[in-house]
Coordinates of all heavy atoms in Angstrom, one line a residue:
M1 N -8.1 -20.0 -7.2 CA -8.2 -18.8 -8.0 C -8.4 -17.6 -7.2 O -9.2 -17.6 -6.3 CB -9.4 -19.0 -9.0 CG -9.8 -17.8 -9.7 SD -11.4 -17.8 -10.5 CE -11.8 -19.4 -10.7
S2 N -7.6 -16.6 -7.4 CA -7.8 -15.4 -6.7 C -8.6 -14.4 -7.5 O -8.7 -14.6 -8.7 CB -6.4 -14.7 -6.4 OG -5.8 -14.2 -7.5
T3 N -9.1 -13.4 -6.9 CA -9.9 -12.4 -7.6 C -9.0 -11.7 -8.7 O -9.6 -11.3 -9.7 CB -10.5 -11.3 -6.7 OG1 -9.4 -10.7 -6.0 CG2 -11.5 -11.9 -5.8
A4 N -7.7 -11.6 -8.5 CA -6.8 -11.0 -9.5 C -6.8 -11.9 -10.8 O -6.5 -11.4 -11.9 CB -5.4 -10.9 -9.0
N5 N -7.1 -13.2 -10.7 CA -7.0 -14.1 -11.8 C -8.4 -14.3 -12.4 O -8.5 -15.2 -13.3 CB -6.4 -15.4 -11.4 CG -5.0 -15.3 -10.9 OD1 -4.3 -14.5 -11.4 ND2 -4.6 -16.2 -10.0
W6 N -9.4 -13.7 -11.9 CA -10.8 -13.8 -12.5 C -10.8 -13.4 -13.9 O -10.3 -12.3 -14.3 CB -11.8 -13.0 -11.6 CG -13.2 -13.3 -11.9 CD1 -14.0 -12.7 -12.9 CD2 -14.1 -14.2 -11.3 NE1 -15.2 -13.3 -12.9 CE2 -15.3 -14.2 -11.9 CE3 -13.9 -15.1 -10.2 CZ2 -16.4 -15.0 -11.5 CZ3 -14.9 -15.9 -9.8 CH2 -16.2 -15.8 -10.5
T7 N -11.4 -14.2 -14.8 CA -11.5 -13.8 -16.2 C -12.9 -13.7 -16.7 O -13.9 -14.1 -16.0 CB -10.8 -14.9 -17.0 OG1 -11.5 -16.2 -16.9 CG2 -9.3 -15.1 -16.6
D8 N -13.1 -13.2 -17.9 CA -14.4 -13.2 -18.5 C -15.0 -14.6 -18.6 O -16.2 -14.8 -18.5 CB -14.4 -12.5 -19.8 CG -14.1 -11.0 -19.7 OD1 -14.3 -10.4 -18.6 OD2 -13.7 -10.4 -20.7
S9 N -14.2 -15.6 -18.9 CA -14.7 -16.9 -19.0 C -15.2 -17.5 -17.7 O -16.1 -18.3 -17.7 CB -13.6 -17.9 -19.6 OG -12.5 -18.0 -18.8
D10 N -14.6 -17.0 -16.6 CA -15.1 -17.4 -15.3 C -16.5 -16.8 -15.1 O -17.4 -17.5 -14.6 CB -14.2 -16.9 -14.1 CG -12.9 -17.5 -14.1 OD1 -12.8 -18.7 -14.4 OD2 -11.9 -16.8 -13.8
T11 N -16.7 -15.6 -15.5 CA -18.0 -15.0 -15.4 C -19.0 -15.7 -16.3 O -20.2 -16.0 -15.8 CB -18.0 -13.5 -15.9 OG1 -17.0 -12.8 -15.0 CG2 -19.3 -12.8 -15.8
E12 N -18.7 -16.0 -17.5 CA -19.6 -16.8 -18.4 C -19.9 -18.2 -17.8 O -21.0 -18.6 -17.9 CB -19.0 -16.8 -19.8 CG -19.0 -15.5 -20.5 CD -20.3 -14.8 -20.5 OE1 -21.4 -15.4 -20.8 OE2 -20.3 -13.6 -20.1
R13 N -18.9 -18.8 -17.3 CA -19.1 -20.2 -16.7 C -20.1 -20.1 -15.5 O -21.0 -20.9 -15.4 CB -17.8 -20.8 -16.3 CG -17.9 -22.1 -15.6 CD -18.2 -23.2 -16.6 NE -18.3 -24.5 -15.8 CZ -19.3 -25.3 -15.9 NH1 -20.3 -25.1 -16.7 NH2 -19.3 -26.4 -15.1
A14 N -19.9 -19.1 -14.7 CA -20.8 -18.9 -13.5 C -22.2 -18.7 -14.0 O -23.2 -19.2 -13.4 CB -20.3 -17.8 -12.6
K15 N -22.4 -17.8 -15.0 CA -23.7 -17.6 -15.5 C -24.3 -18.8 -16.1 O -25.5 -19.1 -15.9 CB -23.6 -16.5 -16.6 CG -23.4 -15.1 -16.0 CD -23.3 -14.1 -17.1 CE -23.0 -12.7 -16.6 NZ -22.9 -11.7 -17.7
Q16 N -23.6 -19.6 -16.8 CA -24.1 -20.9 -17.3 C -24.5 -21.8 -16.2 O -25.6 -22.5 -16.3 CB -23.0 -21.5 -18.2 CG -23.4 -22.9 -18.8 CD -22.2 -23.5 -19.5 OE1 -21.0 -23.1 -19.4 NE2 -22.5 -24.6 -20.2
I17 N -23.7 -22.0 -15.2 CA -24.0 -22.8 -14.1 C -25.3 -22.4 -13.4 O -26.2 -23.2 -13.1 CB -22.9 -22.8 -13.0 CG1 -21.6 -23.5 -13.6 CG2 -23.3 -23.5 -11.7 CD1 -20.4 -23.3 -12.8
W18 N -25.5 -21.0 -13.3 CA -26.6 -20.5 -12.6 C -27.9 -20.8 -13.4 O -28.9 -21.1 -12.9 CB -26.5 -19.0 -12.3 CG -27.7 -18.4 -11.7 CD1 -28.5 -17.5 -12.2 CD2 -28.2 -18.8 -10.4 NE1 -29.5 -17.2 -11.3 CE2 -29.4 -18.0 -10.2 CE3 -27.9 -19.7 -9.4 CZ2 -30.2 -18.2 -9.0 CZ3 -28.6 -19.8 -8.3 CH2 -29.8 -19.1 -8.1
V19 N -27.8 -20.6 -14.8 CA -29.0 -20.8 -15.6 C -29.4 -22.3 -15.5 O -30.6 -22.6 -15.4 CB -28.6 -20.5 -17.1 CG1 -29.7 -21.0 -18.0 CG2 -28.5 -19.0 -17.2
E20 N -28.4 -23.2 -15.5 CA -28.8 -24.6 -15.4 C -29.4 -24.9 -14.0 O -30.4 -25.6 -14.0 CB -27.5 -25.5 -15.6 CG -27.0 -25.4 -17.0 CD -25.6 -26.1 -17.2 OE1 -25.1 -26.7 -16.2 OE2 -25.0 -25.9 -18.2
Y21 N -28.8 -24.4 -13.0 CA -29.3 -24.6 -11.6 C -30.7 -24.0 -11.5 O -31.7 -24.7 -11.0 CB -28.4 -24.0 -10.6 CG -28.8 -24.3 -9.2 CD1 -28.4 -25.4 -8.5 CD2 -29.6 -23.3 -8.5 CE1 -28.8 -25.7 -7.2 CE2 -30.0 -23.6 -7.1 CZ -29.5 -24.7 -6.5 OH -29.9 -25.0 -5.2
N22 N -30.9 -22.8 -12.0 CA -32.2 -22.1 -11.9 C -33.3 -22.9 -12.6 O -34.5 -22.8 -12.2 CB -32.0 -20.7 -12.4 CG -33.1 -19.7 -11.8 OD1 -33.7 -20.0 -10.9 ND2 -33.2 -18.6 -12.5
S23 N -32.9 -23.5 -13.7 CA -33.9 -24.2 -14.5 C -34.4 -25.5 -13.9 O -35.4 -26.1 -14.3 CB -33.4 -24.4 -16.0 OG -32.4 -25.3 -16.0
T24 N -33.6 -26.1 -13.0 CA -33.9 -27.4 -12.4 C -34.3 -27.3 -10.9 O -34.6 -28.3 -10.3 CB -32.7 -28.3 -12.5 OG1 -31.6 -27.8 -11.9 CG2 -32.4 -28.6 -14.0
H25 N -34.3 -26.1 -10.4 CA -34.7 -25.9 -9.0 C -35.8 -24.8 -8.9 O -35.7 -23.8 -9.5 CB -33.5 -25.5 -8.1 CG -32.5 -26.6 -8.0 ND1 -31.6 -26.9 -9.0 CD2 -32.2 -27.5 -7.0 CE1 -30.8 -27.9 -8.7 NE2 -31.2 -28.3 -7.5
D26 N -36.8 -25.0 -8.0 CA -37.8 -24.0 -7.7 C -37.3 -23.0 -6.7 O -37.2 -23.4 -5.5 CB -39.1 -24.7 -7.3 CG -40.2 -23.7 -7.0 OD1 -40.1 -22.5 -7.4 OD2 -41.2 -24.1 -6.4
L27 N -36.9 -21.8 -7.1 CA -36.4 -20.8 -6.2 C -37.4 -19.7 -5.9 O -37.0 -18.7 -5.3 CB -35.1 -20.3 -6.7 CG -34.0 -21.3 -7.0 CD1 -32.8 -20.7 -7.7 CD2 -33.5 -21.9 -5.6
G28 N -38.6 -19.9 -6.2 CA -39.6 -18.9 -6.0 C -39.7 -18.4 -4.6 O -39.9 -17.2 -4.4
A29 N -39.6 -19.2 -3.7 CA -39.7 -18.8 -2.2 C -38.4 -18.1 -1.8 O -38.4 -17.5 -0.7 CB -39.9 -20.1 -1.4
R30 N -37.4 -18.1 -2.6 CA -36.1 -17.5 -2.2 C -35.9 -16.2 -2.9 O -34.8 -15.6 -2.9 CB -35.0 -18.4 -2.4 CG -35.1 -19.7 -1.6 CD -33.9 -20.5 -1.6 NE -33.0 -20.0 -0.6 CZ -32.3 -20.7 0.2 NH1 -32.3 -22.0 0.2 NH2 -31.5 -20.1 1.1
K31 N -36.9 -15.7 -3.6 CA -36.7 -14.4 -4.3 C -36.2 -13.3 -3.4 O -36.6 -13.1 -2.3 CB -38.1 -14.0 -4.9 CG -37.9 -12.8 -5.8 CD -39.2 -12.4 -6.5 CE -39.0 -11.2 -7.4 NZ -40.2 -10.8 -8.2
G32 N -35.2 -12.6 -4.0 CA -34.5 -11.5 -3.2 C -33.3 -12.0 -2.4 O -32.5 -11.2 -2.0
E33 N -33.2 -13.3 -2.2 CA -32.0 -13.8 -1.5 C -30.8 -13.8 -2.5 O -30.9 -13.4 -3.7 CB -32.3 -15.2 -1.0 CG -33.3 -15.2 0.2 CD -33.4 -16.5 0.8 OE1 -32.5 -17.4 0.7 OE2 -34.5 -16.8 1.4
V34 N -29.7 -14.3 -2.1 CA -28.4 -14.2 -2.8 C -27.9 -15.6 -3.1 O -28.0 -16.5 -2.3 CB -27.4 -13.4 -2.1 CG1 -26.1 -13.4 -2.8 CG2 -27.9 -12.0 -1.8
A35 N -27.4 -15.8 -4.3 CA -26.7 -17.0 -4.7 C -25.3 -16.7 -5.1 O -25.1 -15.7 -5.9 CB -27.4 -17.7 -5.9
G36 N -24.3 -17.4 -4.6 CA -22.9 -17.3 -5.0 C -22.5 -18.5 -5.8 O -22.7 -19.6 -5.3
V37 N -21.9 -18.3 -6.9 CA -21.5 -19.5 -7.8 C -20.0 -19.5 -7.9 O -19.4 -18.5 -8.3 CB -22.1 -19.3 -9.2 CG1 -21.7 -20.5 -10.1 CG2 -23.7 -19.3 -9.1
D38 N -19.4 -20.6 -7.6 CA -18.0 -20.9 -7.9 C -17.8 -21.5 -9.3 O -18.2 -22.6 -9.5 CB -17.4 -21.8 -6.8 CG -16.0 -22.2 -7.0 OD1 -15.4 -21.8 -8.0 OD2 -15.5 -23.0 -6.2
P39 N -17.3 -20.7 -10.2 CA -17.2 -21.3 -11.6 C -16.2 -22.4 -11.7 O -16.3 -23.2 -12.7 CB -16.7 -20.1 -12.4 CG -16.1 -19.2 -11.4 CD -16.7 -19.4 -10.1
S40 N -15.3 -22.6 -10.8 CA -14.3 -23.7 -10.9 C -15.0 -25.0 -10.5 O -14.8 -26.0 -11.2 CB -13.1 -23.4 -10.0 OG -12.4 -22.3 -10.5
S41 N -15.7 -25.0 -9.4 CA -16.2 -26.3 -8.9 C -17.7 -26.5 -9.3 O -18.2 -27.6 -9.2 CB -16.1 -26.4 -7.4 OG -17.0 -25.4 -6.8
G42 N -18.4 -25.4 -9.6 CA -19.8 -25.4 -9.9 C -20.6 -25.4 -8.6 O -21.9 -25.4 -8.7
Q43 N -20.0 -25.2 -7.5 CA -20.8 -25.2 -6.2 C -21.6 -23.9 -6.1 O -21.1 -22.8 -6.5 CB -19.8 -25.3 -5.0 CG -20.6 -25.3 -3.7 CD -19.7 -25.7 -2.5 OE1 -18.5 -25.9 -2.7 NE2 -20.3 -25.8 -1.4
I44 N -22.8 -24.0 -5.6 CA -23.6 -22.8 -5.4 C -24.0 -22.7 -3.9 O -24.3 -23.6 -3.3 CB -24.9 -23.0 -6.2 CG1 -24.6 -23.0 -7.7 CG2 -25.9 -21.9 -5.9 CD1 -25.7 -23.3 -8.6
W45 N -23.8 -21.5 -3.5 CA -24.0 -21.1 -2.1 C -25.3 -20.2 -2.1 O -25.4 -19.3 -2.8 CB -22.9 -20.4 -1.5 CG -21.6 -21.1 -1.4 CD1 -20.7 -21.3 -2.5 CD2 -21.1 -21.9 -0.3 NE1 -19.7 -22.1 -2.1 CE2 -19.8 -22.4 -0.8 CE3 -21.5 -22.1 1.0 CZ2 -19.0 -23.2 0.1 CZ3 -20.7 -22.8 1.8 CH2 -19.5 -23.4 1.4
L46 N -26.2 -20.5 -1.2 CA -27.4 -19.7 -1.1 C -27.5 -19.1 0.3 O -27.2 -19.8 1.3 CB -28.7 -20.6 -1.3 CG -28.8 -21.3 -2.7 CD1 -30.0 -22.2 -2.7 CD2 -28.9 -20.3 -3.8
G47 N -27.9 -17.9 0.4 CA -28.1 -17.2 1.7 C -28.9 -16.0 1.6 O -29.3 -15.5 0.5
S48 N -29.2 -15.3 2.7 CA -30.0 -14.1 2.7 C -29.2 -12.9 2.2 O -29.8 -12.0 1.7 CB -30.6 -13.9 4.1 OG -29.6 -13.8 5.1
T49 N -27.9 -12.9 2.5 CA -27.0 -11.8 2.0 C -25.7 -12.4 1.6 O -25.4 -13.6 1.9 CB -26.8 -10.8 3.2 OG1 -26.0 -11.5 4.2 CG2 -28.1 -10.2 3.7
V50 N -24.9 -11.5 1.0 CA -23.5 -11.9 0.6 C -22.7 -12.3 1.9 O -22.0 -13.2 2.0 CB -22.8 -10.8 -0.2 CG1 -21.3 -11.1 -0.3 CG2 -23.5 -10.6 -1.5
V51 N -22.9 -11.5 2.9 CA -22.2 -11.7 4.2 C -22.6 -13.1 4.8 O -21.7 -13.8 5.3 CB -22.5 -10.6 5.2 CG1 -21.9 -10.9 6.6 CG2 -22.0 -9.3 4.7
D52 N -23.8 -13.5 4.7 CA -24.3 -14.8 5.1 C -23.6 -15.9 4.4 O -23.1 -16.8 4.9 CB -25.8 -14.9 4.9 CG -26.4 -16.2 5.4 OD1 -25.9 -16.8 6.4 OD2 -27.3 -16.7 4.7
I53 N -23.4 -15.7 3.0 CA -22.7 -16.7 2.2 C -21.2 -16.8 2.6 O -20.7 -17.9 2.8 CB -22.9 -16.4 0.7 CG1 -24.3 -16.7 0.3 CG2 -21.9 -17.3 -0.1 CD1 -24.7 -16.3 -1.1
V54 N -20.6 -15.6 2.8 CA -19.2 -15.6 3.2 C -19.0 -16.3 4.5 O -18.0 -17.0 4.7 CB -18.7 -14.1 3.2 CG1 -17.3 -14.1 3.8 CG2 -18.6 -13.6 1.8
N55 N -19.9 -16.1 5.5 CA -19.8 -16.7 6.8 C -20.0 -18.2 6.6 O -19.3 -19.0 7.3 CB -20.9 -16.2 7.7 CG -20.5 -14.8 8.2 OD1 -19.4 -14.4 8.2 ND2 -21.5 -14.0 8.6
Q56 N -20.9 -18.7 5.8 CA -21.0 -20.1 5.5 C -19.7 -20.7 4.9 O -19.3 -21.8 5.3 CB -22.2 -20.4 4.5 CG -23.5 -20.1 5.0 CD -24.5 -20.3 3.8 OE1 -24.5 -21.2 3.1 NE2 -25.5 -19.4 3.7
M57 N -19.1 -20.0 4.0 CA -17.9 -20.4 3.4 C -16.7 -20.5 4.4 O -16.0 -21.5 4.4 CB -17.5 -19.5 2.3 CG -18.4 -19.6 1.1 SD -18.1 -18.4 -0.2 CE -16.5 -18.9 -0.8
K58 N -16.7 -19.5 5.3 CA -15.6 -19.5 6.4 C -15.8 -20.8 7.3 O -14.8 -21.4 7.6 CB -15.7 -18.3 7.2 CG -15.1 -17.1 6.5 CD -15.2 -15.9 7.5 CE -14.8 -14.6 6.8 NZ -15.0 -13.4 7.6
I59 N -17.0 -21.1 7.7 CA -17.3 -22.2 8.5 C -16.9 -23.5 7.8 O -16.3 -24.4 8.4 CB -18.8 -22.3 8.9 CG1 -19.1 -21.1 9.9 CG2 -19.2 -23.6 9.5 CD1 -20.6 -20.9 10.1
A60 N -17.1 -23.6 6.5 CA -16.8 -24.8 5.7 C -15.3 -24.8 5.3 O -14.8 -25.8 4.8 CB -17.6 -24.8 4.4
G61 N -14.6 -23.7 5.6 CA -13.1 -23.7 5.2 C -12.9 -23.5 3.7 O -11.9 -23.9 3.2
V62 N -13.8 -22.8 3.1 CA -13.7 -22.6 1.6 C -13.4 -21.1 1.4 O -14.1 -20.2 1.9 CB -15.0 -23.0 0.9 CG1 -15.0 -22.7 -0.6 CG2 -15.3 -24.4 1.2
F63 N -12.4 -20.9 0.6 CA -12.0 -19.5 0.4 C -11.7 -19.3 -1.1 O -10.6 -19.4 -1.6 CB -10.7 -19.1 1.2 CG -10.9 -19.3 2.7 CD1 -10.5 -20.5 3.3 CD2 -11.5 -18.4 3.4 CE1 -10.7 -20.7 4.7 CE2 -11.8 -18.5 4.8 CZ -11.3 -19.7 5.4
V64 N -12.8 -19.1 -1.9 CA -12.7 -18.9 -3.3 C -13.6 -17.7 -3.7 O -14.6 -17.4 -3.1 CB -13.1 -20.2 -4.1 CG1 -12.2 -21.4 -3.8 CG2 -14.6 -20.6 -3.8
P65 N -13.2 -17.1 -4.8 CA -14.1 -16.0 -5.3 C -15.4 -16.6 -5.9 O -15.3 -17.6 -6.5 CB -13.3 -15.2 -6.3 CG -12.2 -16.2 -6.7 CD -12.0 -17.2 -5.6
L66 N -16.5 -15.8 -5.7 CA -17.8 -16.3 -6.3 C -18.3 -15.2 -7.2 O -18.0 -14.0 -7.0 CB -18.8 -16.5 -5.2 CG -18.4 -17.6 -4.1 CD1 -19.5 -17.6 -3.0 CD2 -18.2 -18.9 -4.7
F67 N -19.2 -15.6 -8.0 CA -20.1 -14.6 -8.8 C -21.4 -14.7 -8.2 O -22.0 -15.7 -8.0 CB -20.1 -15.1 -10.3 CG -20.7 -14.0 -11.2 CD1 -19.9 -13.1 -11.8 CD2 -22.1 -14.0 -11.4 CE1 -20.5 -12.2 -12.6 CE2 -22.6 -13.0 -12.2 CZ -21.8 -12.1 -12.8
F68 N -22.0 -13.5 -7.8 CA -23.2 -13.4 -7.1 C -24.4 -13.0 -7.9 O -24.3 -12.2 -8.9 CB -23.1 -12.4 -5.9 CG -22.1 -12.9 -4.9 CD1 -20.8 -12.4 -4.8 CD2 -22.6 -13.7 -3.9 CE1 -20.0 -12.8 -3.8 CE2 -21.7 -14.2 -2.9 CZ -20.4 -13.7 -2.9
F69 N -25.5 -13.6 -7.6 CA -26.8 -13.3 -8.3 C -27.8 -13.0 -7.2 O -27.8 -13.5 -6.1 CB -27.3 -14.6 -9.1 CG -26.4 -15.0 -10.2 CD1 -25.4 -15.9 -10.0 CD2 -26.6 -14.4 -11.5 CE1 -24.6 -16.3 -11.1 CE2 -25.8 -14.8 -12.5 CZ -24.8 -15.7 -12.3
R70 N -28.8 -12.1 -7.5 CA -29.9 -11.9 -6.7 C -31.0 -12.7 -7.2 O -31.4 -12.6 -8.4 CB -30.3 -10.4 -6.7 CG -31.5 -10.0 -6.0 CD -31.4 -9.7 -4.6 NE -30.4 -8.8 -4.2 CZ -29.9 -8.7 -3.0 NH1 -30.3 -9.5 -2.1 NH2 -28.9 -7.8 -2.8
I71 N -31.5 -13.7 -6.5 CA -32.5 -14.7 -6.9 C -33.8 -13.9 -7.3 O -34.4 -13.2 -6.6 CB -32.8 -15.7 -5.9 CG1 -31.5 -16.5 -5.6 CG2 -33.9 -16.7 -6.3 CD1 -31.6 -17.4 -4.4
G72 N -34.2 -14.2 -8.6 CA -35.5 -13.6 -9.1 C -35.3 -12.3 -9.8 O -36.3 -11.7 -10.2
Y73 N -34.1 -11.8 -9.9 CA -33.8 -10.5 -10.6 C -32.7 -10.7 -11.6 O -31.9 -11.6 -11.6 CB -33.4 -9.5 -9.5 CG -34.5 -9.2 -8.5 CD1 -34.6 -9.9 -7.3 CD2 -35.4 -8.2 -8.8 CE1 -35.6 -9.6 -6.4 CE2 -36.4 -7.9 -7.9 CZ -36.5 -8.6 -6.7 OH -37.5 -8.3 -5.8
D74 N -32.8 -9.8 -12.6 CA -31.8 -9.8 -13.7 C -30.5 -9.2 -13.3 O -29.5 -9.6 -13.9 CB -32.3 -9.1 -14.9 CG -33.5 -9.7 -15.6 OD1 -33.7 -11.0 -15.4 OD2 -34.3 -9.0 -16.2
T75 N -30.5 -8.4 -12.3 CA -29.2 -7.7 -11.9 C -29.1 -7.9 -10.3 O -30.1 -8.1 -9.6 CB -29.2 -6.2 -12.2 OG1 -30.3 -5.6 -11.5 CG2 -29.2 -6.0 -13.6
Y76 N -27.9 -8.0 -9.9 CA -27.7 -8.1 -8.4 C -27.9 -6.8 -7.7 O -28.6 -6.7 -6.7 CB -26.2 -8.6 -8.1 CG -26.0 -8.7 -6.6 CD1 -26.5 -9.8 -5.9 CD2 -25.4 -7.6 -5.9 CE1 -26.4 -9.8 -4.6 CE2 -25.2 -7.7 -4.6 CZ -25.7 -8.8 -3.9 OH -25.6 -8.9 -2.5
L77 N -27.4 -5.7 -8.3 CA -27.6 -4.4 -7.7 C -27.7 -3.4 -8.8 O -26.9 -3.4 -9.8 CB -26.3 -4.1 -6.8 CG -26.3 -2.8 -6.1 CD1 -27.3 -2.7 -5.0 CD2 -24.9 -2.6 -5.5
R78 N -28.6 -2.5 -8.7 CA -28.7 -1.4 -9.7 C -28.3 -0.1 -9.1 O -28.8 0.3 -8.1 CB -30.1 -1.4 -10.2 CG -30.3 -0.3 -11.3 CD -31.7 -0.4 -11.9 NE -31.7 -1.7 -12.5 CZ -32.6 -2.1 -13.4 NH1 -33.6 -1.3 -13.7 NH2 -32.5 -3.3 -14.0
K79 N -27.3 0.5 -9.7 CA -26.9 1.8 -9.2 C -27.8 2.9 -9.8 O -28.2 2.9 -10.9 CB -25.4 2.1 -9.6 CG -24.9 3.4 -9.0 CD -23.5 3.6 -9.4 CE -23.1 4.8 -8.7 NZ -22.1 5.6 -9.0
G80 N -28.0 3.9 -9.0 CA -28.9 5.0 -9.5 C -29.9 5.3 -8.5 O -29.8 5.1 -7.3
G81 N -31.0 5.9 -8.9 CA -32.1 6.2 -8.0 C -32.3 7.7 -8.1 O -32.0 8.4 -9.1
R82 N -33.0 8.2 -7.1 CA -33.3 9.6 -7.0 C -32.1 10.5 -7.0 O -31.2 10.3 -6.2 CB -34.2 9.8 -5.8 CG -35.4 10.6 -6.1 CD -36.3 10.7 -4.9 NE -35.9 11.8 -4.1 CZ -36.3 12.0 -2.9 NH1 -37.0 11.1 -2.3 NH2 -36.0 13.1 -2.3
R83 N -32.1 11.5 -7.8 CA -31.0 12.5 -7.7 C -31.5 13.8 -7.1 O -32.6 14.2 -7.5 CB -30.5 12.7 -9.1 CG -30.0 11.4 -9.7 CD -29.0 11.7 -10.8 NE -28.7 10.4 -11.5 CZ -27.6 9.9 -11.5 NH1 -26.6 10.4 -10.8 NH2 -27.4 8.7 -12.1
L84 N -30.7 14.3 -6.3 CA -31.1 15.6 -5.6 C -30.5 16.7 -6.4 O -29.4 16.7 -6.9 CB -30.6 15.6 -4.2 CG -31.1 14.5 -3.3 CD1 -30.4 14.6 -1.9 CD2 -32.6 14.6 -3.1
S85 N -31.3 17.7 -6.6 CA -30.8 18.9 -7.3 C -30.3 19.9 -6.2 O -31.0 20.2 -5.2 CB -32.0 19.6 -8.1 OG -31.6 20.8 -8.6
L86 N -29.2 20.5 -6.5 CA -28.6 21.5 -5.5 C -29.2 22.9 -5.9 O -29.0 23.8 -5.1 CB -27.1 21.5 -5.6 CG -26.5 20.2 -5.1 CD1 -25.0 20.2 -5.2 CD2 -26.9 19.9 -3.7
A87 N -29.7 23.1 -7.0 CA -30.3 24.4 -7.4 C -31.6 24.6 -6.7 O -32.4 23.7 -6.6 CB -30.5 24.4 -8.9
R88 N -31.8 25.8 -6.2 CA -33.0 26.1 -5.4 C -33.6 27.4 -6.0 O -33.2 28.3 -6.3 CB -32.7 26.3 -4.0 CG -32.3 25.0 -3.4 CD -32.3 25.0 -1.9 NE -31.7 23.8 -1.5 CZ -32.3 22.9 -0.7 NH1 -33.4 23.2 -0.1 NH2 -31.7 21.8 -0.3

């Protein structure tokens, strides 16, 4: 599957796989790390960063798109933050 072929059902399947995995594994010590889920195979990759996971996949010869989760958080990345005002 290429990223161009990624569908909403792939996203939902990855979320379902993650919920099942998270409910059967104690990941408390890995809070803040990253999990990548392959919705086709159900394989889960764990690492400190996305780059770490991609490097693990390259070593294993696996080249598939993943859905990423930040362990212990509802969102992977939140956009926003402090806004600077240009008016003085």
